[in-house]
Amino acid sequence: MMGRLWDWWRARRVLVDAAFVVPFLLLVALSASSETNPRNPTYVPWGWYVFFSVALLVPLVVRRRWPRSVFAAVALLCFAQWLLHIRMIPSDMAILVALYTVTAYCAFRWGLAALVVALAGVVMETTQQMGSWKHMRMPLLFFSTFIVGVWLLGLHMRTRRQYLRSLEERAERLERERDTEVQIARAGERARIARELHDVVAHNVSVIVVQADGASFAIDTDPARAKQALTTIGDTGRLALAEMRRLLGVLRAEDDSGAYAPQPGVEQLTELVEQIRAAGLPVTVRVAGVPLEVSQGRQLTIFRVVQEALTNTLKHAGPRASADVMLHYGDDAVDVVVMDDGRGAAAVVDGYGHGLIGMRERVAVYGGQVRAAPRAGGGFEVAARIPVREEARA
């Protein structure tokens, strides 16, 4: 509450400056009896005292809105006071306030010009009041030092204000950059989730379609086989729903504490192959070399490459096709090759798939390459090379 009230008060510059003038008005009022007393040899006539007191202090109410104009008005009033041979009165301190304001809120050249004007006024005033150099040296030194001190204070506050403004601008710039980075990260994460969803949906739906077609043909002649196909459809559908819930749960911003299942890796390839075999595609798996300890991200990439390749084989290779999966662990990379003996270049493609694009993006993250093309003797081959140099050295 107090913070909001303070911010509101600071935003009203005129009210703040008006409150700043109040102590000067009190000082002028308290000094009026002695300053205008005719018994005082240097007294100021009552009329002139009131006029110059009000005329010098009132402009200070808008000193920060129009600092140069206020300083010019105060300086002209002081010059008129000097022409009328009226000595200094308490309200003449307005020239110091105006000098500080110009120095603190305007360009350096305007503050320097205001300093020269103020020092010139001190010389004129001390010369008029003291007359000889012998009597005016000390007052001139005192007032000049005081004015220079006020000017240095205003210069310091101007430098400090510029420094704080630069910090605020830097903070705002960093905040904008942070927001941009967050948006980029969100876009990248959504793209990753989109690839994951494509892999999950394309694979599991392909299995479901194949099993459903098989069940429709076998339901009259082989009910047991049709029942097995329907069971596989149910298991595959539940698995697809579970994976989709896990992926879509990441997009729920209000749910930060949910525990999600780990991403599939190399160990889950056995389950994947069994699922493909159950869908009617014979698959053989060969592993060469010594398996390396690779990162979870690379394991997921290997899994998705095999999954996408087998899904494409299941969809496009034909009814009597078979597939061969080979994993070769080298010193610097893991080579993944998935081959089939299906239709190959003669396969009908719907043109809506993004699997090969997502596969290349996944492998490119680790500096690898993917080659996907029909084989010369028939069939199709997908070959991916995923560098694992960091893990091999470890």
Side-chain angles (χ1 to χ4, degrees):
M1 180 65 182
M2 293 300 297
R4 290 196 299 269
L5 183 61
W6 176 250
D7 293 338
W8 177 87
W9 173 252
R10 291 185 61 185
R12 273 64 181 177
R13 285 190 171 188
V14 175
L15 291 178
V16 175
D17 293 339
F20 181 79
V21 172
V22 170
F24 291 98
L25 291 175
L26 294 176
L27 178 62
V28 168
L30 293 175
S31 304
S33 58
S34 60
E35 295 288 341
T36 60
N37 189 354
R39 297 178 181 178
N40 187 351
T42 58
Y43 84 100
V44 179
W46 174 260
W48 288 121
Y49 182 83
V50 173
F51 171 77
F52 280 108
S53 296
V54 174
L56 288 170
L57 293 178
V58 168
L60 298 182
V61 175
V62 292
R63 64 186 179 89
R64 287 191 291 176
R65 178 173 294 183
W66 299 296
R68 288 177 294 178
S69 300
V70 169
F71 179 83
V74 172
L76 288 175
L77 287 170
C78 290
F79 181 67
Q81 183 181 350
W82 180 80
L83 290 177
L84 294 172
H85 295 276
I86 299 176
R87 68 176 184 82
M88 288 190 298
I89 57 177
S91 58
D92 284 321
M93 289 186 294
I95 192 67
L96 299 177
V97 179
L99 171 64
Y100 166 83
T101 306
V102 170
T103 307
Y105 290 92
C106 297
F108 176 77
R109 63 179 184 275
W110 291 108
L112 187 60
L115 174 64
V116 172
V117 171
L119 291 176
V122 167
V123 173
M124 294 167 59
E125 178 65 19
T126 53
T127 301
Q128 186 183 75
Q129 297 295 330
M130 302 301 175
S132 63
W133 171 252
K134 179 180 179 181
H135 295 90
M136 64 182 287
R137 281 185 304 177
M138 292 305 298
L140 179 62
L141 180 62
F142 173 78
F143 286 117
S144 299
T145 304
F146 196 74
I147 287 176
V148 172
V150 171
W151 180 76
L152 291 175
L153 177 62
L155 195 62
H156 169 73
M157 294 305 297
R158 175 177 174 271
T159 304
R160 178 179 174 81
R161 187 174 293 106
Q162 290 178 342
Y163 174 70
L164 293 177
R165 188 181 299 113
S166 66
L167 290 181
E168 292 176 356
E169 293 176 353
R170 180 184 178 186
E172 292 176 357
R173 184 175 66 255
L174 291 176
E175 185 174 358
R176 290 194 299 269
E177 292 176 355
R178 183 196 63 187
D179 293 341
T180 302
E181 291 176 356
V182 169
Q183 293 176 0
I184 293 174
R186 286 178 177 175
E189 182 65 13
R190 290 177 184 273
R192 184 190 68 81
I193 293 173
R195 291 194 298 268
E196 294 288 335
L197 283 175
H198 169 270
D199 294 339
V200 170
V201 172
H203 169 71
N204 290 289
V205 171
S206 297
V207 173
I208 290 173
V209 170
V210 172
Q211 292 293 329
D213 290 340
S216 64
F217 284 112
I219 193 167
D220 295 326
T221 59
D222 193 350
R225 184 175 180 183
K227 183 178 179 180
Q228 182 182 1
L230 292 175
T231 302
T232 303
I233 289 174
D235 294 340
T236 304
R238 283 188 288 271
L239 177 62
L241 285 175
E243 290 197 41
M244 289 177 65
R245 287 195 187 100
R246 176 177 58 82
L247 291 172
L248 294 177
V250 179
L251 298 177
R252 296 179 57 189
E254 69 273 13
D255 187 7
D256 295 331
S257 58
Y260 303 112
Q263 296 281 11
V266 177
E267 296 179 356
Q268 283 70 38
L269 285 177
T270 303
E271 300 176 7
L272 174 65
V273 170
E274 291 298 329
Q275 187 183 38
I276 296 295
R277 287 171 179 166
L281 177 66
V283 181
T284 59
V285 180
R286 293 178 294 165
V287 178
V290 179
L292 301 173
E293 289 293 333
V294 299
S295 64
Q296 184 63 36
R298 287 179 170 85
Q299 290 193 42
L300 176 62
T301 300
I302 295 172
F303 181 88
R304 293 305 186 198
V305 167
V306 175
Q307 183 186 52
E308 180 62 29
L310 292 178
T311 301
N312 289 337
T313 300
L314 192 64
K315 291 167 60 177
H316 306 299
R320 290 181 295 274
S322 62
D324 185 19
V325 178
M326 185 185 70
L327 295 180
H328 181 269
Y329 291 93
D331 294 334
D332 298 329
V334 177
D335 292 302
V336 182
V337 180
V338 181
M339 299 180 294
D340 65 67
D341 55 2
R343 297 191 182 103
V348 178
V349 182
D350 55 15
Y352 295 101
H354 299 280
L356 292 178
I357 297 176
M359 190 188 304
R360 290 191 175 96
E361 289 179 354
R362 289 178 183 277
V363 175
V365 169
Y366 302 102
Q369 296 178 344
V370 175
R371 180 177 56 83
R375 298 170 62 192
F380 201 86
E381 179 182 86
V382 175
R385 184 176 180 83
I386 304 169
V388 290
R389 184 181 299 272
E390 298 88 352
E391 285 79 359
R393 289 179 178 177

